[in-house]
Amino acid sequence: MLDLARELRRWLAEGRDFAVATVVSVGGSAPRRPGAALAVDGAGTAIGSVSGGCVEGAVYELCGQALQDGRAVRARFGYSDEDAFAVGLTCGGVIEVLVTPVTAAAPDREVLSAALSAAAEGGRAALARIVDGPSDLLGRALLVRSDASYGGTLGGRPESARTAADLAHAFLEAGRTGTFALECTDGDAGEGPLTFFVESLVPPPRMIVFGAIDFASALVRTGKFLGYHVTLCDARPVFATRARFPEADEVVVDWPHRYLRRTETDRRTVLCVLTHDAKFDVPLLKEALRLPVAYVGAMGSRRTHEDRERRLREVGVTERELARLRSPIGLDLGARTPEETALSIAAEIIATREGGTGVPLTGARTPIHRDRRPTAA
């Protein structure tokens, strides 16, 4: 739902009633991930997608029904070999969808409105909604902020709301979208276990590219295409210029290791070292390999790599730390041009993030779609 925030916020401002269908669980080769959404307003206007086309019609009808009766509903769609014409996913996957009406009478309209505003304005928050539990609680929501404060009541269940907010805040801190379960802790008001789906609103992950070379220009463009906030850093002011890297979010002139010490990174950050110059590489990689980031890669020939490893050992980098280094950087695609090389680096970053093998899918028995690793980018 939060991916549609700007348009849905406009619908709210115009006083429109609408229903939102959100993918809350996937299995097998499902086409969309949890969080994908389709919204339908009272006039039948639709935006978004939950399946890339396979079950859109059926979900559209569910949204219309939710608008009529004012009740949230959860539905499951999969593939049936017994009835090839049944509504389902031809890819063989399974998705579960939560359909929530957002009307003037909806109990959590203000919470959802605040979540959409936060998403539209680039805020940091988590929206937690009940996707399994008593029917009167289905779709009830909490908006959890970065300071762990929250809005929403879960229908007068304050103890459960506080516990759920704490758990959702942990998802927010990790930048995760997913589900968790808890038992109601509100005495007679509680009616067994609740399952929550959490969508985390976090800034884009960072890609920091070190080395203002032609390969870096291509990688900056690729990083932006993949949704990263991209910084280009080089100690040489004549090369690290906005004119040479117009697509970068930031162009920093500083010694790479010094910049890395003072800038903010997290477990989603990727670091790409393209300088292949020992006076820059060694102090930079010594810092980088000790940070809890998602990826550290360094460009260079195999001879450069061997010399680089020797120098890193000499300055105290351990074998365990060296094992984190992706060098020579990228997957073996036969790349030669800067653009091809950027593609090979991006492919390795994605494979590392998602647990992919990098082998051709043709003839392979590995799953096409995987569950995302909890701490990845």
Side-chain angles (χ1 to χ4, degrees):
M1 182 177 77
L2 300 180
D3 288 341
L4 308 178
R6 285 184 172 82
E7 185 66 14
L8 294 183
R9 191 185 187 191
R10 183 173 68 83
W11 285 9
L12 283 171
E14 294 172 354
R16 297 196 211 182
D17 289 344
F18 58 90
V20 182
T22 305
V23 177
V24 297
S25 176
V26 302
S29 188
R32 301 295 303 277
R33 286 186 166 171
L38 169 72
V40 181
D41 73 0
T45 302
I47 57 173
S49 172
V50 294
S51 71
C54 302
V55 299
E56 306 300 305
V59 176
Y60 181 92
E61 295 298 327
L62 284 175
C63 287
Q65 185 62 44
L67 276 173
Q68 288 183 23
D69 59 32
R71 293 195 300 270
V73 63
R74 180 171 173 170
R76 182 180 185 274
F77 297 93
Y79 181 75
S80 172
D81 290 326
E82 297 176 359
D83 185 359
F85 294 98
V87 173
L89 301 175
T90 56
C91 58
V94 175
I95 65 171
E96 294 192 4
V97 175
L98 174 71
V99 181
T100 306
V102 184
T103 65
D108 290 323
R109 184 183 178 93
E110 289 188 8
V111 172
L112 296 175
S113 177
L116 293 173
S117 294
E121 295 167 6
R124 187 180 180 91
L127 178 64
R129 288 181 284 167
I130 296 176
V131 296
D132 195 15
S135 59
D136 66 309
L137 290 182
L138 195 65
R140 296 303 298 262
L142 298 172
L143 179 63
V144 182
R145 305 174 188 88
S146 57
D147 62 359
S149 63
Y150 68 95
T153 65
L154 300 185
R157 293 164 172 81
E159 293 181 25
S160 295
R162 177 69 268 172
T163 303
D166 288 342
L167 292 170
H169 186 257
F171 275 68
L172 176 61
E173 289 292 291
R176 291 180 56 195
T177 288
T179 59
F180 66 83
L182 63 80
E183 289 285 338
C184 282
T185 56
D186 297 274
D188 293 339
E191 300 178 26
L194 302 174
T195 301
F196 288 79
F197 174 68
V198 182
E199 293 178 84
S200 290
L201 289 170
V202 293
R206 294 192 69 188
M207 172 185 285
I208 308 178
V209 181
F210 297 97
I213 63 176
D214 52 353
F215 289 91
S217 180
L219 184 56
V220 165
R221 295 194 300 272
T222 303
K224 289 298 297 177
F225 176 75
L226 292 177
Y228 285 94
H229 178 96
V230 182
T231 299
L232 184 284
C233 176
D234 195 296
R236 302 164 297 176
V238 68
F239 296 117
T241 65
R242 175 59 65 182
R244 296 188 69 223
F245 299 95
E247 296 91 351
D249 294 288
E250 300 171 291
V251 177
V252 176
V253 178
D254 200 351
W255 276 78
H257 72 283
R258 188 164 59 193
Y259 174 69
L260 186 58
R261 283 177 186 168
R262 66 179 173 85
T263 195
E264 183 177 346
T265 60
D266 61 25
R267 295 184 182 277
R268 302 181 301 150
T269 302
V270 299
L271 306 176
C272 301
V273 181
L274 309 187
T275 48
H276 51 83
D277 183 330
K279 69 176 177 292
F280 296 121
D281 288 2
V282 173
L284 171 59
L285 289 171
K286 181 180 177 181
E287 296 286 336
L289 292 171
R290 292 171 178 173
L291 291 174
V293 295
Y295 174 92
V296 181
M299 176 176 277
S301 67
R302 298 197 182 279
R303 178 178 295 178
T304 298
H305 167 70
E306 291 172 0
D307 179 67
R308 181 189 290 134
E309 281 200 328
R310 177 183 60 79
R311 292 173 182 269
L312 287 170
R313 290 188 181 97
E314 289 175 353
V315 296
V317 176
T318 68
E319 295 301 318
R320 184 174 182 178
E321 291 165 346
L322 277 176
R324 299 184 58 216
L325 178 61
R326 300 284 178 158
S327 174
I329 197 171
L331 296 185
D332 180 10
L333 305 182
R336 290 186 178 274
T337 68
E339 290 73 19
E340 291 170 346
T341 302
L343 180 61
S344 79
I345 295 169
E348 184 175 50
I349 290 170
I350 294 170
T352 301
R353 184 182 72 192
E354 305 293 349
T357 64
V359 303
L361 291 173
T362 302
R365 297 297 180 183
T366 55
I368 295 176
H369 300 290
R370 295 171 169 81
D371 291 335
R372 177 170 288 200
R373 293 181 176 184
T375 59

